[in-house]
Amino acid sequence: MRFRGPLADSYAGAALLVAFALIPYLVLTSAITPLEALISKQVGVSPQALQTTAGMANAGYAFGTLLAVQLAVRMRPRRLLLIYAVLLVLGSAMTALAPTPGIFIAGHVLQGLCTSLMLIAAVPPLVTGWPAKRMPITAAIMNLCIFGAVALGPIVGQIQEAAGSWRPLFWLATAASAVALVFVLLTWEDDPAPDPRGDWDPVSLLLAGGGCASAFFGASELTTHRMLSVIVFLPLVAGAATVVLLVIHQASIKNPLVPVRELLSTKPIVGVIAAMAAGAASVPAIGLIEQSVTGTGSPAHLASLFWPFFGGAVLTAVIFGLALRTRMLVALVFAGLTVLVGGIAIATGVAHGPHSLVGISCALIGIGVGAAVAPALFVAGYSVAVMNIQRVLALVELLRAVAAFMTAPVLLHLALTTDGGVRGDGIDTALWVCLAIAGTGLLVAAYVFALGRARLQRPDIEAWQEGEGPAWYSPPLAAGIRDQRLERVLAER
């Protein structure tokens, strides 16, 4: 008889596993900015090397989504999850100890990679392995674990800066990762591999790894180089082009790792556009707001300015859970993008305005990104068969991560080098670009939705979980144009 953990049938155990697996690194992604000077001084890593480390960790996070899907095809999922958890604890402990720059760099990159591996391995079972009545709770947990954690980062980072120490935060991340490892064992259920003889796809892994590493390396080099310098421009453009080539390759092969062809209908495309636009606008916007208030108050005061960001994420998690099983799910995505546009519009005044604008804009950005990205993921996932939810999650997270983490350094560089820099109008200029990204995403997503003559529908989650097909109907792309042509042909006859 195979061993089963004492919490193998516990929904709470599965949910806590997801929470402790995702929160540590995602908090660090936004908490590390105010701690850069402390880390650089105490570890002996240069500011440029620290930026490159963050870029490679984010590249690992993006690449790990596809790697997790490939490994999940041929290997036992729970054993993989155990390996990921052990490596996450190891990477977190390396960053917390960090006696040398090399150990810190390797540990942080390992944190990014293992977090996405655990995301793809642990979240889909939480979505599909429990009754549909649990789904709203699952949605709220996912939103809090991903976007709530990112929203908590600036607060925690400023508090640690006020204390003059950064290692306690990384030790807390290590402890949380260790708790995730414990829950992997407590919820153990050694299911067989889906397809032990499944094909390997080294071409896709090479495109994903090379594209993410190249793009994020180029973007991270903007700390000490100009945009058009060879070390920035060539890797950045080549990496972005390689990621596009990866998507085309996945759409063209017979047994793809991610179901690109199945997502080529109205609602999934709306979801992908919304997730990418929200990520590409919100991540740099928060970074720019942090940059604009740096040095304008004590770290404790600056930390208090970002509580509304976290509060907005919490509020949206509740709303998301309530809307998940209703016809308002797609409407929530559009509402989120609209609120995000409003929040960034208000943020354009933070560089020369009162600190009260920071709280207002952060609250709206938190609400906007929480209402746009996670709901957009479910909009895409509900449009395909349940067996593909892991692969859909991988693709959307890959594209969102590339859009967000590649755009943020570019816009920060724009803010620092144009219109007088931080103390001039550089922050405003970069925030206007963020506003344009969010606004364009909203308009394009709305146009695709209208052009497909899509409707707001209540998803049939029970049937979806039973494997009876998508949870709702997603019209073909541009179905409205096709219908008009058909009407004209019939009229002519």
Side-chain angles (χ1 to χ4, degrees), residues 9 53 72 101 110 127 136 150 168 177 184 218 298 319 360 372 390 422 462:
D9 296 322
T53 301
L110 192 58
V127 173
V150 173
S177 302
V184 170
S298 67
I319 296 173
I360 297 171
Q390 183 184 50
V422 175
E462 288 80 5

Side-chain angles (χ1 to χ4, degrees), residues 307-404:
W307 276 111
F309 185 30
F310 179 68
V314 172
L315 174 63
T316 309
V318 175
I319 296 173
F320 180 28
L322 295 174
L324 185 70
R325 303 191 67 182
T326 73
R327 65 175 63 241
M328 299 308 296
L329 181 59
V330 178
L332 181 62
V333 174
F334 289 118
L337 286 174
T338 303
V339 173
L340 179 61
V341 169
I344 297 175
I346 294 174
T348 57
V350 299
H352 306 292
H355 280 176
S356 59
L357 290 180
V358 175
I360 297 171
S361 61
C362 283
L364 293 176
I365 291 173
I367 293 171
V369 71
V373 180
L377 169 64
F378 276 82
V379 167
Y382 282 159
S383 303
V384 300
V386 69
M387 68 181 68
N388 284 324
I389 186 62
Q390 183 184 50
R391 298 166 185 257
V392 171
L393 173 61
L395 178 62
V396 175
E397 267 300 285
L398 169 65
L399 296 177
R400 184 193 70 84
V402 169

